[in-house]
Amino acid sequence: MRKKKPLFSTFLLLCLLIISILSPAVFAEEQPVDKPSLVALGDSITFGWNLYEGENPDKTKPSAHAFPNYIMDGGFDVTNLSFPGWTSGQLLTEIKNNPLFLPAIAEADVITLNIGSNDLLGAAEINKVIAEGSLTPEKIEEIKAKIESASGLLAANLTQIIGAIRGVNTEAPILFYN
């Protein structure tokens, strides 16, 4: 009889030990993991224009397959504030005037910024050059001058965009790429 009591106590102690080790793991699985937030600012590239077209009939909303959703294997809660065709000036206007932008930016842990391609493509008048079918040395010089001017405006707009971001969020890294 005496041997059963220590055996029972040992068994009970072992069960408590196992429960204390396993129960935090079980509870951890039940708790939703808060993902860091990412705000994506940009144009059609960020928007995911025409990605998986059949799955996204509403062309006013970013594609679920846009690349910001795949950063760190989907490790972010993404707010995609981009739109096809935007120039840096249009993005700046949205940041200043759209009531959705600054609050989202203020709460972001990471901000991506991809803008400027449409500024430069518009200045180069690519569609016009393609339609005309030829480039003369004079036309090339004209395009260079327009691109130089557009680059100056793009730089000024980027300065204001980053200033507006930093005005509400001084901590989040801004990942600029183009």
Side-chain angles (χ1 to χ4, degrees):
M1 262 323 212
R2 289 184 178 229
K3 300 220 179 209
K4 285 186 179 183
K5 200 170 194 180
L7 184 61
F8 179 73
S9 297
T10 305
F11 176 74
L12 185 59
L13 187 59
L14 184 60
C15 286
L16 286 173
L17 182 63
I18 290 171
I19 289 171
S20 66
I21 291 171
L22 295 180
S23 45
V26 170
F27 288 126
E29 289 175 16
E30 293 174 6
Q31 299 295 324
V33 176
D34 285 337
K35 292 180 179 181
S37 64
L38 181 144
V39 170
L41 303 169
D43 55 25
S44 60
I45 301 297
T46 305
F47 187 86
W49 183 249
N50 281 338
L51 284 180
Y52 300 88
E53 191 172 327
E55 295 176 21
N56 190 26
D58 186 353
K59 298 293 185 191
T60 65
K61 294 185 174 137
S63 172
H65 299 285
F67 80 88
N69 298 315
Y70 292 104
I71 295 173
M72 287 184 54
D73 292 326
F76 286 98
D77 180 17
V78 175
T79 301
N80 193 330
L81 301 176
S82 59
F83 199 76
W86 273 356
T87 63
S88 60
Q90 289 168 310
L91 176 59
L92 179 59
T93 297
E94 289 297 317
I95 289 172
K96 288 180 175 180
N97 299 322
N98 189 320
L100 300 175
F101 276 61
L102 289 179
I105 291 168
E107 296 297 319
D109 295 308
V110 175
I111 299 162
T112 64
L113 177 59
N114 179 357
I115 199 74
S117 297
N118 292 320
D119 298 66
L120 302 177
L121 288 170
E125 299 176 318
I126 296 298
N127 290 335
K128 185 177 174 183
V129 169
I130 292 169
E132 290 174 357
S134 66
L135 277 175
T136 64
E138 295 81 19
K139 184 66 177 175
I140 291 171
E141 289 305 312
E142 179 186 330
I143 291 171
K144 283 182 183 179
K146 287 179 180 179
I147 290 174
E148 187 175 324
S149 176
S151 296
L153 182 58
L154 172 58
N157 287 340
L158 284 173
T159 299
Q160 290 183 60
I161 288 168
I162 292 171
I165 291 169
R166 285 295 176 234
V168 296
N169 188 330
T170 59
E171 301 295 321
I174 301 170
L175 307 174
F176 175 70
Y177 56 96
N178 192 322

